[in-house]
Amino acid sequence: MTRSVMVVGGGAFGVRHLAAYRSLGVPVGALVEPEAATRNWVAAEYGVPRTYASVADLLAAERPDAASVCVPGPVHRAVAVDLLDAGVPVLVEKPLAATAADAAAIVAVAERTGVLCQPGHILRHSAPHRALYEAVRAGRLGEVLAVSSRRDRPRTLSRLFPREHPALLTAVHDIDLALWYAAAPVVEVRAVARTRPGTENPVLVWAELRHANDVVSSIRNSYLLPENATNHTSDLVEVYGTDGVAHVDLGHPTLLVQGEPTEAPDWLLSPADGGGALAAELRHFLGQIDGTEPAAVVPLADGLHVVRVAEAVVDSAASGGAVRRIPPSPLPT
């Protein structure tokens, strides 16, 4: 049984991980956060007994049984590699890394050490997305022909993440869904992007993907909703098959109870008070460590492939929509 869990990163998503572990009844023994004020406040708020300014400080003092890596993408490689080399299983928040080279380095260390590294692609643990996946795998739509995803976000993201390209911030969700539903790696990418005054990175990205089995996927991400938009989750994914069409629309939950705790059984991904798909993802992560969840929902190879595709989207869009090809490789089931 996993006894000692830690969270690396005390920012917005590190806090969500702390809340999700608490909702599972799993105590978090340590928090790593370089900023002292944030470290102290978060630890006090969530009852974390030990805090450290760096992973090196933590590993000099203790060896946790598991770690959630919730630091910014450019730091994923350094943090994940240090923990894996120390024998600590990690769940690395999406994307696996900010570059394909960094992601490949993480995969290499995980394979060399034999230590679990789980990419944090939360939508594979979302109840409606899993139900759609199970329907697709059961053949209810016939042969899959195409996957289409739309993800609209407020303009706030351009302000909060001014140097992060949408392909590596939000579109990684849609690339992963396309990979999951198509059940084949992406071999070809074509993308375009648009900016608006005052933004360094694109606020609109459209990408067309072709998979090794000739399934086509369309991905559309925007940061164009008003900052005070009522609905900050306007997400839609559709799967087209020879025998039918199915979709998941997160913009229209069937039930939402905004009480204590907040409840939306099928739709909320990472509610502030814990639960949701994030808790399911962490439960699976701990089960992988304990051996009670033998099959990985997100194989590590998929996490690497998603980053490679996202990089190709960035490159294609920067090149005016030029086709970028990705050598096909089999993905583990």
Side-chain angles (χ1 to χ4, degrees), residues 10-26:
F13 226 68
V15 166
R16 294 293 175 108
H17 275 242
L18 288 166
Y21 279 123
R22 184 165 63 184
S23 75
L24 293 172
V26 175

Side-chain angles (χ1 to χ4, degrees), residues 25-284:
V26 175
V28 175
L31 170 70
V32 174
E33 166 55 47
E35 209 281 314
T38 299
R39 181 171 68 245
N40 294 335
W41 179 85
V42 172
E45 180 72 14
Y46 289 90
V48 182
R50 297 178 301 283
T51 64
Y52 302 92
S54 69
V55 170
D57 289 346
L58 172 123
L59 293 176
E62 60 179 293
R63 289 290 190 278
D65 293 327
S68 282
V69 177
C70 305
V71 294
V75 194
H76 282 189
R77 176 178 179 171
V79 170
V81 164
D82 284 352
L83 290 169
L84 290 167
D85 268 331
V88 180
V90 293
L91 185 152
V92 181
E93 265 304 331
K94 65 84 188 167
L96 182 60
T99 68
D102 281 357
I106 293 172
V107 171
V109 174
E111 290 178 344
R112 172 174 57 79
T113 60
V115 179
L116 173 69
C117 178
Q118 178 176 313
H121 288 288
I122 191 172
L123 295 185
R124 295 202 192 192
H125 299 271
S126 153
H129 292 93
R130 285 201 63 80
L132 176 54
Y133 173 78
E134 289 162 5
V136 169
R137 293 285 77 81
R140 294 181 60 192
L141 302 181
E143 179 184 350
V144 175
L145 302 175
V147 180
S148 175
S149 294
R150 183 203 72 215
R151 189 171 303 275
D152 297 325
R153 289 292 181 271
R155 298 166 198 163
T156 315
L157 268 69
S158 293
R159 175 168 50 81
L160 295 177
F161 304 99
R163 288 176 294 277
E164 294 195 45
H165 196 285
L168 283 155
L169 184 62
T170 52
V172 290
H173 287 300
D174 305 290
I175 295 169
D176 185 59
L177 287 178
L179 191 65
W180 199 32
Y181 292 134
V186 175
V187 296
E188 189 174 279
V189 173
R190 184 194 301 269
V192 295
R194 296 290 184 269
T195 59
R196 67 192 304 268
T199 61
E200 177 181 342
N201 267 319
V203 294
L204 179 68
V205 176
W206 284 36
E208 302 295 327
L209 317 177
R210 184 172 66 83
H211 298 259
N213 57 359
D214 285 331
V215 170
V216 292
S217 295
S218 174
I219 291 172
R220 304 175 303 285
N221 274 217
S222 81
Y223 300 167
L224 295 170
L225 297 178
E227 293 213 11
N228 60 351
T230 303
N231 189 349
H232 285 229
T233 304
S234 178
D235 303 345
L236 173 69
V237 59
E238 301 167 298
V239 178
Y240 296 82
T242 53
D243 296 340
V245 179
H247 75 266
V248 171
D249 185 353
L250 293 190
H252 300 89
T254 54
L255 171 66
L256 177 60
V257 180
Q258 299 193 81
E260 296 290 346
T262 300
E263 180 185 7
D266 291 340
W267 264 256
L268 283 185
L269 301 179
S270 57
D273 43 19
L278 179 56
E281 180 179 49
L282 296 182
R283 186 185 299 112
H284 174 73

